[in-house]
Amino acid sequence: MATAGWCFLAAMIVAYGIANLLQSVAAARTTVHHTFDPGLLLRLAGHRTYLVGLACQVAGFVLAFLARRDLPLFLVQASVAAGLGVTALLGVIVLKWRLPMSEVVLLLLLFAGITALVLSARPAPSKPLGTAGMVALLVTLGVIAVLGFFAVRLHGAPGSVALGSLAGLGFSAAAVAARPLASAPTWDAFLTDPLLYLLIGHSIVGQLLLGLAMQRGSTTAAVAAMDAAGAVPAAIIGLLLLNDKIWPGREWLAGIGFLVTLAAVIGLTRYAEPQHHHAVARETTRAVLDGGKGTRPTPRVASAPLLGTEPTEPAQAASTGLRRPITRS
C-alpha cells in the first residue's frame, strides 16, 4: 500500500501541473469578476479548455486523496507545489514561454525541497478527527468565504496572491478532512461521514477563489500563493493530530525540505506582475475608434494548440507571468 501511495503522489503532481495550465488559459479568456460570484464557475465551464483542466484537477484531487491514506500531509500538500514545475515545462513546450533565470532557480529549489520531503516522510495510517475538529473545519469554511467576499476587491498581483492564499487555506482544510476520511472501512461509512461534505464544501470554495485569483494576475503567483498558504496549516495539523510520521533521525531533513519548498513558492510570488488579459480586446476597440481605416497592423499571433482555444498569444517572449507575463484576451 505504501508503494501505491508513492505512485499516486507522482501521478498527482503531473495531473495538477496540467490542470494549472489549462485552467489559467480559460480563466484569462473569461470576463474579469469583481465580486465573490459563483457564476464565474459557470462561465468557465463554457470553455472546453477549462473543463479538461478541471478534469485533470479532479484526477489530481482523487490521486492526492488516495496518497493521503498512508502518506503524511506535509509531503502530499507540499508536493502539490511541484505541479508548478510541470506547468512551467508545459508552458515552455506548448505556449513557447521563456523562463527567466530567477524562476528556473526557484523551480530547482522547489524540486530539491520536495525530494527532501520524500526521503523523510514515513507512511502511516491516519488517526480519526474528532467532533471538535469537524466543528473547526466548518467554522473555517465560513471564515474563508467571508474573507473571500472582501478579497475580490483587490486587483492585480495583490488580488491574485490574496485570493490564491485563501484558496490554499480552503484546499488545506479539505486535505485535513481527506486524511482520516481516506481510511473509511466501507462505502457506507465513507458516504455518511461528515468529513466528506466538509471536504466538498472547502474544495468548491477553494476552486472558486482560485479561478478569481487567476483572473487578477500571474497564474504562477496565484498557484504559488495557494500552495504556500495551504502547506503550513495542513502540515502542522497532520503532525499534531493525524499521526503523520517522519523517519527517525530525518527530522532535520524534513524541516529543511519543507522550508526550502515553502521559500521557493513564496519566492515565486515576488516576481508576480499583473497579466493584461484583455489587451487584444483593447486593440480591437482602438481599431474601431480609428474608423476601420486599416491603419493599425494586424497583431502577430502564435498558435496555441490547446483543445479548441483560439490563438491569441502574442509572438513575443513570455514567461509564466513572473517577469514578462503572457497577454491573453
Side-chain angles (χ1 to χ4, degrees), residues 68-71 123-127 179 183 242-245:
R68 292 185 189 107
R69 180 180 178 89
D70 294 295
L71 299 181
S126 173
K127 290 181 179 179
R179 176 86 160 102
S183 299
L242 300 179
N243 198 41
D244 285 1
K245 299 291 186 180

Side-chain angles (χ1 to χ4, degrees), residues 36 140 143-152 154 159-173 202 205-207 209-210 213 222 225-226 229-230:
F36 190 67
T140 301
V143 171
I144 292 173
V146 171
L147 291 176
F149 179 82
F150 292 102
V152 293
L154 299 174
S160 180
V161 172
L163 289 165
S165 298
L166 289 173
L169 292 176
F171 290 131
S172 180
H202 277 286
V205 171
Q207 184 65 32
L209 290 167
L210 179 58
M226 175 187 69

